[in-house]
Amino acid sequence: MKLPPATTWLTVGSLCLCSCTVPFYVDEPTSTGSTSAPAGDTDLTPTTTAPAEATDDSAASSSGATDPGLPGTTSSSSSGDGPMLDVGTPDDQEECTPPAPDCDADDDGVDHALGVNCTGGISSLEGVVASGTPDSLWVVAGPLGAGDTFAPRLGSRAVLLSTGVASHVALDPEELLAKCSEIGLPCPSTDYDGAYDLAMLPLPLQPAPIICPKGQLPPGPGDCSATIDKQWLGDPQIAHDYSELRLTATAPLSAVGVSLQAAFFTAEWPNRSAVGAFANNDLFLVWLESEQWTGNIAVHPDQLQPFAAGALEWDHAQDAALTGFAFEEHVAIDWTKLSAAITPGETITLVLAIFDVGDRKVDSAVLLDDLRWTCAIPNGGPRHR
């Protein structure tokens, strides 16, 4: 809406948004013991700084708390004297609010389980697109396993992405034995016989490390985190059983960042952890394509390590938190908040990807939830004065 030249102060109320669901669709598959780091070259720390993290008291923490504010009508008053002119309500791009916690209560949509296309939160421009192995995706209702350690962080559902058959993760070790790809291998394991192996990652993912000084535009193409190429072991580099979710979204004018929560599991430990160079270095990536950053943001905020099977110190190793599902005899990283700063109003692309490294059979998986904007002004807040 074009406004006439203003001689008075303006105030803009907020718009109470209605729920809008964008259909989820699936692309054709893309062609084509110890819990410490392994012996050998353990210098796995990213060689560049992590992406700038937007801070906001209203954003969810890694414990899964939700924003205290709810969408509602807000207004601002002029700090000076004179009349106020109410010009109506802002459009969607100005509204930055958390996703509604009950968004996934009544359906198994992947977008809603992530917290996308809900009342409030992120609205994707072209849905949430899945590519890769045919059974790599599963919407998990309730906690994974016997306890609450891996319960959803927003609402009642989360999304699991696997290098194998995602639904096998719900099975306990005894049930899993009949599903393993080969006797003697750790379970879960799946053999797609190279049908979903990639010699190059799909664009915009470009793993070559680049240096991205803070406050400057990324020089790309390349990975500002400098983590992917170093962890993607092998000559040639092959991404075995590659699967991904991707979406594009335009940030509200009061959004300053984006975040999600992830929990990572692998069957590569402990059975094969004695390998000196740990060639079976399965990777989970979150690629952010934005004005401030191009590259991986799946870097553990405390360990400063990428989500690679050979780089992390595990939060859980064959313990009670893993009881009752497929990784009971293996290892996991707790729910972890991954975040990065963005430019208000820009359009970003996110790619959540997982693939086997070194071996195409033994599986790794990641649980995903609570994908949201980081809002500069909690509850939408006053934007125009």
Side-chain angles (χ1 to χ4, degrees), residues 68-156:
L70 297 173
T73 301
T74 60
S75 62
S76 59
S77 58
S78 171
S79 57
D81 297 326
M84 299 285 292
L85 175 62
D86 189 345
V87 297
T89 56
D91 59 29
D92 316 4
Q93 293 190 354
E94 293 197 45
E95 188 74 20
C96 187
T97 55
D102 61 353
C103 179
D104 61 5
D106 299 320
D107 67 73
D108 288 331
V110 172
D111 54 350
H112 289 175
L114 284 172
V116 175
N117 296 329
C118 301
T119 301
I122 293 174
S123 294
S124 61
L125 297 179
E126 298 179 351
V128 177
V129 183
S131 302
T133 61
D135 301 306
S136 62
L137 187 62
W138 177 43
V139 173
V140 183
L144 189 61
D148 292 330
T149 303
F150 299 109
R153 310 313 279 167
L154 176 74
S156 58

Side-chain angles (χ1 to χ4, degrees), residues 74-342:
T74 60
S75 62
S76 59
S77 58
S78 171
S79 57
D81 297 326
M84 299 285 292
L85 175 62
D86 189 345
V87 297
T89 56
D91 59 29
D92 316 4
Q93 293 190 354
E94 293 197 45
E95 188 74 20
C96 187
T97 55
D102 61 353
C103 179
D104 61 5
D106 299 320
D107 67 73
D108 288 331
V110 172
D111 54 350
H112 289 175
L114 284 172
V116 175
N117 296 329
C118 301
T119 301
I122 293 174
S123 294
S124 61
L125 297 179
E126 298 179 351
V128 177
V129 183
S131 302
T133 61
D135 301 306
S136 62
L137 187 62
W138 177 43
V139 173
V140 183
L144 189 61
D148 292 330
T149 303
F150 299 109
R153 310 313 279 167
L154 176 74
S156 58
R157 288 171 170 80
V159 173
L160 189 129
L161 196 61
S162 172
T163 62
V165 179
S167 61
H168 285 179
V169 175
L171 305 177
D172 63 34
E174 185 174 344
E175 295 171 317
L176 200 58
L177 283 176
K179 308 287 187 181
C180 282
S181 63
E182 184 177 316
I183 296 175
L185 281 180
C187 292
S189 62
T190 310
D191 187 2
Y192 288 113
D193 198 26
Y196 302 97
D197 292 357
L198 300 180
M200 294 180 63
L201 300 180
L203 294 175
L205 282 68
Q206 300 194 55
I210 56 175
I211 297 174
C212 305
K214 187 176 180 180
Q216 298 183 28
L217 292 177
D223 174 24
C224 287
S225 76
T227 58
I228 300 175
D229 189 62
K230 187 172 186 178
Q231 299 295 336
W232 189 10
L233 306 178
D235 186 13
Q237 293 172 314
I238 301 293
H240 299 289
D241 300 340
Y242 177 93
S243 288
E244 68 166 47
L245 295 172
R246 69 170 60 202
L247 65 121
T248 300
T250 299
L253 297 179
S254 55
V256 293
V258 64
S259 70
L260 78 158
Q261 297 204 42
F264 184 57
F265 312 86
T266 186
E268 299 288 3
W269 287 77
N271 308 59
R272 308 208 287 179
S273 60
V275 179
F278 203 85
N280 306 306
N281 196 32
D282 298 357
L283 277 169
F284 164 60
L285 310 175
V286 179
W287 185 275
L288 171 63
E289 190 83 5
S290 72
E291 294 177 5
Q292 298 188 36
W293 186 266
T294 64
N296 184 29
I297 65 169
V299 176
H300 196 288
D302 298 323
Q303 300 183 31
L304 298 181
Q305 299 285 12
F307 276 58
L312 294 163
E313 295 184 5
W314 303 101
D315 296 317
H316 303 284
Q318 301 173 312
D319 64 18
L322 300 173
T323 301
F325 67 106
F327 292 97
E328 182 173 320
E329 298 176 351
H330 304 294
V331 293
I333 290 291
D334 267 330
W335 282 110
T336 304
K337 182 179 177 182
L338 307 173
S339 61
I342 55 121

